Amino acid sequence: MGVFQYEARNRAGEFFAGTVEAHDEREAAGLIRRRGLWVAALHLQCEEAAGAPAVSRWRQQLAGAVAKPPPAKLRVLFLRQMAAMMQAGMPVHQALQALAKSDADRAYQSLLQQLLAGILAGRPLHERMALHPAVFPASLCGLVRAGEESGSLTQIFAQLADFEEHRYEAREALKSALLYPVILLVVSLVALVLMAVFVLPAFAVMLQDLQAELPWTTRFLLALMDFVSGHLAALLTGAALLALVTAALVRDARTRTVLDGWLLKMPILGPLQRASAWRILLELFAVMLKNGIPLTTALAMAADVPANRHIACEMKALRAQVESGQPFAASLRQLTSCPRLLVELLMAGEMTGTLDAMMEKAAAFAAADARHRSARVEALAEPVMIFVVGGMIFFFVLSIVLPLLTTMDALM
């Protein structure tokens, strides 16, 4: 079985491109013709990749990386457009066909063509989206899968579009707030490193000739520079090894679960992570319960939705307790990641028989809490960065100014 890349047109002359899995070219051409398309070009994708020169492939990858828009922007654009198309009553394949005909970015058109080719081949949308992890993370694909299996894909796309737009806006606002402090930090570090390398040693020699005592800040910087210059190769090797070990630990499931659990315990980022994760989960549960899906089935569909692995493990434990006959809210109370106020709201909804409506209320509360906490992070980020930069500048200025004063006293 090989993957064939094709270019084709229909009877109206519309252009289509994508991939198809088949044993040989004849079978691939037959599959394409069954879709009502006329084959214009067809070749085995893996053979083309193997026969291409290494330099040519490297140039193509480099050009694609430079021209490709940020994955977050592609994700927001795709979700919003699909939500609008499906809310207008269009099925998934017609929505993708309409979007693929638009005069959009080449990378975005290629993404849409690949998704459309998979849908026309009978593949589920979440499976084709999972082939592009840079644009569609596993948690988002899990939500789309739950929407497909529950028949609520239109609502899921609308909620995902709102959530991703807000997260993208918050991320861009945080970048804008940190732009000036980061530039100031970089310029200050460059200037201060140059002073520490070229200015401080001259002052140190001068003060030693005058038998003057160096301030502790100056002694610390000189000792640090001597250590770095004497062990530069060992430090670089250690940094590279540390990066490799960290990357390997992050890929490990158990280590990732522990790290995500620590992240939830952090003072500012932890509550923001919890509110964002439970907003998505509660909105998903509310939609599925309204569509007549049992709670145990909804918990099974949402098992892989949380991006935080600690919350995902707690969701599996919650599902096991509910399947054993335990009440949902009582089982939810045992989780460390769910905010207590949300538990109280859901307990009231379970007692009154309005769990789906109360889940919507709890999701709205979690969304508001996430927005407020995100705004606080944005408000705190800039002054904290400026404080850090100011402290570094103050330390380095003391390291330079105090030797000057000591030199003047020694000369006098």
Side-chain angles (χ1 to χ4, degrees), residues 94-388:
Q94 289 185 4
L96 289 173
Q97 285 177 345
L99 294 178
K101 296 176 185 177
S102 62
D103 188 15
D105 182 83
R106 180 178 299 178
Y108 186 51
Q109 281 187 337
S110 176
L111 174 65
L112 294 173
Q113 292 287 355
Q114 294 179 31
L115 294 178
L116 178 59
I119 294 296
L120 295 178
R123 303 288 185 179
L125 179 60
H126 76 271
E127 181 181 310
R128 306 305 300 180
M129 292 171 61
L131 298 177
H132 307 276
V135 181
F136 305 115
S139 57
L140 190 145
C141 296
L143 284 168
V144 174
R145 177 184 179 183
E148 288 179 312
E149 295 180 357
S150 62
S152 56
L153 189 57
T154 302
Q155 296 94 320
I156 294 297
F157 267 123
Q159 293 170 355
L160 283 175
D162 294 337
F163 177 75
E164 290 292 336
E165 281 182 356
H166 172 72
R167 189 165 68 171
Y168 179 75
E169 292 173 359
R171 188 186 301 113
E172 292 301 313
L174 183 61
K175 289 180 181 178
S176 300
L178 292 178
L179 181 60
Y180 171 72
V182 168
I183 293 176
L184 181 62
L185 176 63
V186 172
V187 174
S188 302
L189 283 176
V190 172
L192 295 173
V193 167
L194 291 177
M195 285 190 293
V197 172
F198 297 105
V199 178
L200 274 181
F203 279 116
V205 173
M206 184 186 303
L207 292 174
Q208 288 175 359
D209 293 339
L210 296 174
Q211 297 182 353
E213 184 180 359
L214 292 174
W216 71 270
T217 55
T218 307
R219 293 198 305 270
F220 174 79
L221 277 181
L222 289 174
L224 180 62
M225 295 303 298
D226 290 340
F227 177 80
V228 171
S229 60
H231 304 82
L232 183 59
L235 289 175
L236 292 177
T237 304
L241 291 176
L242 180 62
L244 292 175
V245 171
T246 303
L249 290 177
V250 169
R251 293 191 185 98
D252 182 67
R254 294 181 180 180
T255 307
R256 176 70 182 275
T257 302
V258 174
L259 293 176
D260 286 346
W262 289 349
L263 178 62
L264 295 176
K265 296 178 182 179
M266 295 182 66
I268 298 176
L269 296 180
L272 177 59
Q273 288 278 329
R274 289 196 296 267
S276 301
W278 280 101
R279 172 204 172 179
I280 287 290
L281 288 171
L282 292 175
E283 287 180 349
L284 177 61
F285 290 151
V287 170
M288 288 193 287
L289 290 180
K290 281 188 174 182
N291 284 271
I293 296 177
L295 181 59
T296 54
T297 306
L299 289 171
M301 291 180 180
D304 298 327
V305 167
N308 188 288
R309 301 312 303 164
H310 181 80
I311 298 179
C313 291
E314 289 194 340
M315 288 297 300
K316 295 178 181 178
L318 176 64
R319 174 192 173 189
Q321 291 182 0
V322 173
E323 288 179 347
S324 65
Q326 298 293 326
F328 175 71
S331 303
L332 196 64
R333 185 186 292 273
Q334 301 178 15
L335 305 184
T336 59
S337 63
C338 186
R340 297 299 95 185
L341 184 57
L342 299 184
V343 176
E344 299 298 330
L345 290 174
L346 296 176
M347 182 173 291
E350 191 174 24
M351 293 175 61
T352 58
T354 58
L355 185 58
D356 54 347
M358 195 56 70
M359 280 184 174
E360 289 185 346
K361 299 292 184 182
F365 179 83
D369 188 25
R371 286 195 300 270
H372 295 157
R373 293 185 182 277
S374 178
R376 290 175 195 151
V377 171
E378 295 172 14
L380 287 174
E382 185 172 1
V384 168
M385 285 292 296
I386 292 178
F387 177 78
V388 171

Side-chain angles (χ1 to χ4, degrees), residues 19-36:
T19 58
V20 63
E21 295 182 2
H23 291 91
D24 51 26
E25 290 188 1
R26 178 175 297 180
E27 182 181 355
L31 292 174
I32 297 170
R33 284 195 295 269
R34 291 174 191 173
R35 303 173 187 174

